[in-house]
Amino acid sequence: DDKRKKEAKENFTRYLEDGLLKKEKNELAKNKYVENADLSLKTAHELIKNDLKPYIWVIVISYYAMFYMANAVLLHYGYKTKDKIAHKVTSDALIVLVVDKLKKEFLEMYETSQKEALEIANTKAEGIIESYDLELDKRSRFQYNMLEETKENKAQTSLKRASEFVFELKFKSFRIGFY
């Protein structure tokens, strides 16, 4: 929403000033992030099939697939997060740097139905980025509270979100110039 976008923009500026986000290009690191995102998704898919039902790890690994892909995109734009509060910095930077580009891509995809496309594009682009925040929060709650009653559907949701997030940022990025 607009309040979250405003907060992210203010934080983004502060992160640059405080050195939590640096201007940096690094193709090797960007490629490694993409590789880590793919490996994380593959691992999460394998774990979800496991009879041991390690749902907490499906959630954690799915989140990290998103985190890695997000950081690859940020590096493409010339920004590198530093270690301190990297997850929050990544989240805010995505909102500031990526959401509008995804909106544009989705608008082009759905240009035959312009009114519907605007709604779909806004919802889809914001939903993709919002899913990162949701998984960041979920991963923190489950990883640190270690709730044994974690349900399979939460793990399935995490994996679905991560798969869509990585796909959208990875494959749509070719059309909007991420890579």
Side-chain angles (χ1 to χ4, degrees):
D1 62 7
D2 289 336
K3 182 179 175 185
R4 178 67 178 103
K5 287 179 185 177
K6 182 180 178 191
E7 173 194 331
K9 189 170 173 79
E10 290 168 359
N11 288 345
F12 183 84
T13 302
R14 193 170 337 108
Y15 297 150
L16 287 170
E17 291 168 359
D18 295 346
L20 297 172
L21 188 65
K22 296 263 187 192
K23 289 286 278 177
E24 181 179 323
K25 287 248 184 193
N26 186 329
E27 286 297 313
L28 182 62
K30 180 175 81 172
N31 292 336
K32 194 64 172 170
Y33 277 132
V34 172
E35 184 181 314
N36 286 345
D38 291 340
L39 179 60
S40 295
L41 277 180
K42 181 179 177 183
T43 303
H45 279 287
E46 291 299 317
L47 279 176
I48 202 77
K49 295 187 243 177
N50 189 314
D51 289 335
L52 297 174
K53 307 295 182 205
Y55 301 127
I56 179 64
W57 294 110
V58 173
I59 291 167
V60 170
I61 293 168
S62 294
Y63 164 75
Y64 272 96
M66 297 167 76
F67 177 75
Y68 292 135
M69 194 63 218
N71 278 280
V73 170
L74 294 180
L75 268 172
H76 176 75
Y77 282 114
Y79 292 94
K80 173 84 171 98
T81 61
K82 297 303 172 184
D83 294 337
K84 191 174 179 187
I85 65 167
H87 298 270
K88 176 69 171 147
V89 172
T90 298
S91 176
D92 289 339
L94 276 178
I95 292 168
V96 171
L97 298 172
V98 179
V99 75
D100 288 336
K101 287 175 178 42
L102 282 175
K103 282 182 190 178
K104 182 178 181 236
E105 170 64 16
F106 289 120
L107 280 172
E108 290 171 6
M109 286 173 44
Y110 301 114
E111 67 184 3
T112 55
S113 53
Q114 293 177 353
K115 281 188 175 183
E116 290 177 60
L118 183 57
E119 278 184 42
I120 291 168
N122 284 332
T123 302
K124 183 84 170 168
E126 290 172 0
I128 292 292
I129 302 305
E130 180 185 26
S131 68
Y132 181 91
D133 277 340
L134 293 171
E135 289 304 312
L136 169 61
D137 180 58
K138 186 192 297 181
R139 189 240 354 146
S140 295
R141 281 187 288 123
F142 286 108
Q143 185 171 0
Y144 299 114
N145 294 329
M146 299 302 287
L147 298 175
E148 293 300 322
E149 304 85 37
T150 304
K151 302 283 186 208
E152 181 177 5
N153 65 351
K154 292 200 181 287
Q156 292 282 6
T157 298
S158 293
L159 184 54
K160 181 178 181 258
R161 282 181 181 156
S163 296
E164 182 178 11
F165 183 89
V166 169
F167 173 82
E168 295 295 352
L169 288 184
K170 186 176 186 181
F171 294 105
K172 300 286 191 248
S173 65
F174 289 107
R175 298 175 95 188
I176 58 178
F178 287 162
Y179 293 96

